[in-house]
Amino acid sequence: EHTAVRGGVGVFDVSHMGKVRVHGPGALAALNRVLTNDLGRIGDSAAQYTLLCRDDGGVIDDMIVYRWRDDELFIVPNAANTATVVDVLTRAIAGSSGGGVRVDDLSAAHGIIAVQGPRSAEVLASMGLPVEHAYMTMVATTFRDAPVIVCRSGYTGERGYEMAVDSPPDLILLDIMLPGLDGFQVCEKLKATAMTKHIPVLMITALQELEDKIRGLRAGAEDFISKPFNRAELQARVRSLLRMKFLQE
């Protein structure tokens, strides 16, 4: 991985990151009251690294804020802190904007793919995506009719891009042994949310007991496979779940 991103190109699915839309009249000013960096220092269609802090100065999370306009911004916080960030921003902004600014958690509806390394521009250009914009700026475009944000936000020491895709995943591969919420709890939340309840979940885990499999299926998972797994078997199960999903649609 290190060699690829320093000498060639690496592609990473970082869709676990949070995606938060802040919009409405006064959105930029409202965010400037709670974030450490000044969004007034960048123009439209630019991105900025910043921090969200507690009242005592401790850091809640670091994040990238994408500024489209004064009334339309998009934030990418770290995955584990997304719920906290949304809660803090909602309470802080609601009290200062008179209800005109909204904070929407779009994490389940967007994916993010990072393409990093000296050859990253070559890869994106081969797909017909824009690559010539400046560092920490972004361009809204489409790929196969799906809206895509292409931001030139390399973070490996080489040229790189991150693409936010306005499209929910077709399938979720879910581990069970996770920090914070475990995979069973995550699956239950996914199946209880209108936006994600129809997305098939395939649990992949080191757990091998029958009780674990039953618990996973009861949590809402469509399938369950234990590690170590056979790659051909995993691919066959993924294709089967996708085929059933597409037939239902």
Side-chain angles (χ1 to χ4, degrees):
E1 180 179 308
H2 172 79
T3 301
V5 299
R6 296 297 284 182
V9 64
V11 179
F12 310 90
D13 185 345
V14 290
S15 299
H16 62 286
M17 301 292 286
K19 305 97 182 172
V20 181
R21 181 189 180 200
V22 180
H23 59 107
L28 185 146
L31 280 178
N32 259 350
R33 285 191 286 269
V34 294
L35 300 178
T36 59
N37 216 338
D38 180 10
L39 287 163
R41 296 173 60 191
I42 62 173
D44 292 347
S45 300
Q48 184 183 73
Y49 176 79
T50 190
L51 302 174
L52 175 65
C53 293
R54 301 190 301 267
D55 291 341
D56 63 4
V59 176
I60 295 173
D61 198 24
D62 64 338
M63 61 195 68
I64 300 291
V65 179
Y66 297 80
R67 172 182 170 174
W68 289 110
R69 301 183 305 273
D70 288 359
D71 61 351
E72 187 70 48
L73 301 101
F74 188 75
I75 301 175
V76 179
N78 288 289
N81 296 326
T82 298
T84 301
V85 168
V86 170
D87 179 63
V88 170
L89 289 179
T90 299
R91 288 187 285 108
I93 289 175
S96 64
S97 67
V101 179
R102 291 188 54 184
V103 179
D104 299 329
D105 186 355
L106 303 180
S107 300
H110 288 67
I112 301 180
I113 300 295
V115 182
Q116 304 287 313
R119 297 185 62 189
S120 56
E122 179 184 336
V123 172
L124 266 63
S126 71
M127 300 165 61
L129 295 172
V131 296
E132 296 302 328
H133 44 300
Y135 181 61
M136 293 299 278
T137 65
M138 65 274 193
V139 176
T141 184
T142 60
F143 180 73
R144 296 182 178 177
D145 299 324
V148 179
I149 300 170
V150 180
C151 184
R152 203 188 138 197
S153 49
Y155 51 78
T156 62
E158 301 290 344
R159 191 182 187 97
Y161 302 84
E162 290 175 287
M163 296 176 292
V165 184
D166 184 7
S167 179
D170 292 314
L171 173 71
I172 296 172
L173 303 180
L174 181 62
D175 201 347
I176 292 177
M177 310 302 289
L178 301 172
L181 295 178
D182 62 32
F184 300 121
Q185 295 169 306
V186 171
C187 187
E188 289 171 349
K189 287 182 175 292
L190 288 169
K191 295 303 180 179
T193 302
M195 188 178 294
T196 57
K197 66 181 181 180
H198 299 301
I199 302 173
V201 174
L202 171 55
M203 286 188 163
I204 304 179
T205 176
L207 300 178
Q208 300 189 12
E209 298 297 327
L210 178 60
E211 291 80 5
D212 297 317
K213 182 176 182 179
I214 293 173
R215 185 181 175 190
L217 296 174
R218 284 178 174 169
E222 278 70 19
D223 205 351
F224 187 105
I225 188 169
S226 296
K227 304 173 186 177
F229 53 82
N230 179 276
R231 179 175 295 184
E233 179 188 4
L234 175 61
Q235 291 174 338
R237 293 191 185 206
V238 166
R239 282 194 288 266
S240 177
L241 289 171
L242 291 175
R243 183 166 58 250
M244 287 190 290
K245 178 178 184 291
F246 296 149
L247 286 174
Q248 291 172 353
E249 294 175 344

